[in-house]
Amino acid sequence: MHPPLAGAGTLGARALACKRGRRLLFRGLDLQLAPGSITWLRGRNGSGKTSLLRILAGLSAPSEGDITWNGAPIGQAGVSAREAIVYIGHANALKDDLTATESLHFLSRLHGFECAAPALADALRRFGLHSRRDAPVRTLSQGQRRRVALARLCLAPADAMWLLDEPFDALDAEGVQALNALLAEHAARGGSVLLTSHVPLTLSSPAPISLQLGEVAPT
């Protein structure tokens, strides 16, 4: 494994293409996610939004093109950015028999994040779940489960790259407010975010950059 890069950087894509079976989702995609930016990835259902996030996270391989870090292809000449990327997909990845705290601890250890008891408690408190910290996941609502999954962002490195697939799903107004505040703070620290959302974003600072997948990479 290549050594991780230190500090904030720019994750990008160059001439990227993605196929699922025989179907071409997108081709010729060029992308730059600069430190301090929040980008709203948009597109119709089936246009490849989730596929793009997974490719950028290193969970899938593109059909064509390169993933870049500060302009250099990842995996070449010692360039690696995987340790600086946090990906949260549609699934919350929580086990019913674990408590909220245990689940967050487990997910955080998978990412290699700080997971001391005070940090876990603060992360759950940030998402309004401190009173439910010892509750089994099976007793939590869908919105509460989503909050537990998102709480790991509070434990991520300050300048990490966040790739978030429909993070606002199942959140109520309080949850949306908590996530918006976290996104704004992350960008202010020099972190960057690429997210999908089927509902309009209400974050105003920084103003999200809109990226229409179908426009940048016609099928």
Side-chain angles (χ1 to χ4, degrees):
M1 180 180 294
H2 297 296
L5 297 176
T10 298
L11 181 68
R14 189 165 57 204
L16 208 64
C18 176
K19 290 183 178 179
R20 286 295 174 262
R22 296 184 178 181
R23 181 169 176 252
L24 178 67
L25 297 181
F26 55 81
R27 170 177 282 165
L29 188 149
D30 295 320
L31 174 67
Q32 296 292 320
L33 303 173
S37 67
I38 296 178
T39 303
W40 180 14
L41 179 62
R42 308 176 69 178
R44 67 187 186 279
N45 291 341
S47 60
K49 300 186 296 298
T50 293
S51 295
L52 175 58
L53 290 179
R54 290 181 58 83
I55 289 172
L56 293 175
L59 300 175
S60 300
S63 302
E64 301 171 8
D66 295 310
I67 308 301
T68 63
W69 182 261
N70 292 333
I74 290 176
Q76 297 183 19
V79 176
S80 173
R82 299 308 182 200
E83 295 83 355
I85 294 173
V86 180
Y87 170 76
I88 298 181
H90 283 294
N92 293 321
L94 306 178
K95 294 185 179 296
D96 285 347
D97 292 335
L98 297 182
T99 67
T101 299
E102 290 169 341
S103 294
L104 181 57
H105 186 199
F106 175 76
L107 292 174
S108 299
R109 290 190 64 184
L110 284 180
H111 282 292
F113 297 162
E114 167 63 43
C115 54
L120 294 170
D122 286 344
L124 291 173
R125 185 179 290 108
R126 180 69 184 265
F127 275 93
L129 288 173
H130 189 255
S131 65
R132 302 287 287 160
R133 62 190 182 279
D134 296 323
V137 167
R138 76 170 76 88
T139 69
L140 302 179
S141 69
Q142 287 301 315
Q144 289 171 330
R145 296 183 190 199
R146 194 58 172 164
R147 292 190 194 198
V148 173
L150 293 169
R152 81 185 89 163
L153 297 174
C154 300
L155 306 171
D159 55 3
M161 178 78 53
W162 294 357
L163 303 175
L164 310 178
D165 202 354
E166 299 291 349
F168 293 97
D169 269 7
L171 294 183
D172 58 13
E174 181 182 304
V176 169
Q177 183 177 13
L179 180 55
N180 277 343
L182 195 62
L183 292 171
E185 291 174 18
H186 184 59
R189 292 192 300 261
S192 57
V193 182
L194 176 66
L195 62 85
T196 66
S197 177
H198 66 277
V199 297
L201 299 186
T202 56
L203 179 70
S204 58
S205 180
I209 301 165
S210 182
L211 175 61
Q212 189 75 28
L213 187 57
E215 292 178 2
V216 298
T219 57

